Amino acid sequence: MGLAKRIIPCLDVKDGETVKGTNFVNLRSAGDPVELGKAYSEQGADELCFLDITASFEGRKTFTDMVTRVAKEINIPFTVGGGINELADVERLLYAGADKVSVNSAAIRRPELISEITNRFGSQVCVVAIDARFDADGWHCYLKGGRERTERGLFEWAHEAQERGAGEILFTSMDHDGVKEGYANEALRELADNLSIPIIASGGAGKKEHFRDTFIDGHADAALAASVFHFGEIPIPELKAYLKAEGINVRM
């Protein structure tokens, strides 16, 4: 059966509340992050992911306080990302109660950050998040919440992140984000089949079948989703029961 596949609700946090958009824009409110985190923990989510999507300097303290409040309410692994540029940021969030940190833009700008985090805290703490879009010349990585294209290709960057010690890759397809038509399974499969670390699928969940497909066709180790959970479209216990019935190994 292999390792159990993980279901990970993701909370994008802006100014202390959970928001959700489509293709990284048109954000709408989805509720209090502490309450949502607690509810997901109770419903059987395997992990939680919190992203401070506007990680502006002023908002950092507010966000750190919120991480502490969430950590007190849950008993599952908890990944936090947004505005992590140096070891001091990692230390602050781990001290506040996070189990792992997710780095994205800062790691592309300065890849040594990955090695620094893993050397200091262990590779299990470092999740490298990659936002990529399929352009005319293939999959390219984007920075600043999807606003700025880089010359890094998805597959070569994911490989370098692994070589530098990343514990997991969280791949979000910007083309699929919030569209609810399924994950980017072809790209996910290429990542999963060529890397030895776990791959988390993100962007595109709209129905239970999409989770099944990303595990079977995309070879993903975990599936992350936001709005289908926040707005009650797919209850986690129901999703896990469905996946189990489809022959997928999940923790009940």
Side-chain angles (χ1 to χ4, degrees):
M1 288 285 274
L3 287 174
K5 302 292 189 182
R6 291 170 286 149
I7 300 297
I8 308 176
C10 179
L11 292 91
D12 291 338
V13 179
K14 180 176 189 276
D15 305 328
E17 65 173 4
T18 311
V19 293
K20 185 60 195 122
T22 304
N23 301 125
F24 285 45
V25 291
N26 304 325
L27 302 176
R28 57 182 176 145
S29 176
D32 176 63
V34 181
E35 292 301 314
L36 279 170
K38 185 180 179 185
Y40 291 142
S41 179
E42 288 167 353
Q43 284 170 29
D46 297 296
E47 296 187 13
L48 281 180
C49 184
F50 273 58
L51 300 175
D52 181 355
I53 60 168
T54 48
S56 60
F57 189 69
E58 310 77 64
R60 291 275 175 83
K61 186 165 166 29
T62 319
F63 188 69
T64 308
D65 293 345
M66 192 202 71
V67 169
T68 304
R69 288 180 15 242
V70 172
K72 283 179 182 154
E73 298 288 350
I74 65 173
N75 56 5
I76 53 177
F78 176 28
T79 301
V80 177
I84 294 170
N85 297 301
E86 55 187 7
L87 285 179
D89 297 325
V90 179
E91 208 156 329
R92 176 171 50 82
L93 292 167
L94 294 177
Y95 186 72
D99 298 287
K100 310 179 197 179
V101 294
S102 162
V103 289
N104 188 336
S105 302
I108 288 189
R109 288 198 199 96
R110 197 173 70 79
E112 303 77 37
L113 180 62
I114 300 170
S115 325
E116 288 168 8
I117 295 171
T118 58
N119 290 339
R120 177 82 171 272
F121 303 106
S123 61
Q124 77 286 349
V125 161
C126 186
V127 178
V128 172
I130 303 177
D131 297 332
R133 174 180 274 150
F134 189 70
D135 296 331
D137 55 350
W139 283 99
H140 274 270
C141 302
Y142 278 72
L143 298 181
K144 296 183 180 169
R147 288 186 283 275
E148 187 183 301
R149 178 182 143 125
T150 73
E151 286 315 303
R152 301 300 306 246
L154 165 64
F155 303 109
E156 53 98 6
W157 170 234
H159 186 266
E160 181 177 334
Q162 173 179 281
E163 293 304 294
R164 288 181 176 276
E168 296 181 275
I169 299 289
L170 165 56
F171 162 51
T172 302
S173 164
M174 293 167 58
D175 304 302
H176 295 71
D177 176 66
V179 182
K180 299 188 177 180
E181 288 177 2
Y183 293 94
N185 291 325
E186 212 172 294
L188 282 159
R189 187 167 60 246
E190 188 165 336
L191 285 169
D193 291 354
N194 289 294
L195 298 178
S196 57
I197 57 176
I199 306 297
I200 304 167
S202 166
K207 51 188 185 178
K208 294 191 285 269
E209 290 80 0
H210 294 154
F211 290 88
R212 176 198 64 197
D213 294 346
T214 203
F215 292 138
I216 293 174
D217 303 334
H219 300 178
D221 297 278
L224 179 142
S227 54
V228 291
F229 296 143
H230 302 340
F231 301 114
E233 295 159 41
I234 303 178
I236 291 170
E238 193 181 294
L239 171 62
K240 286 194 160 187
Y242 164 80
L243 292 171
K244 201 170 187 65
E246 291 287 317
I248 290 161
N249 181 15
V250 288
R251 288 187 200 91
M252 298 302 284

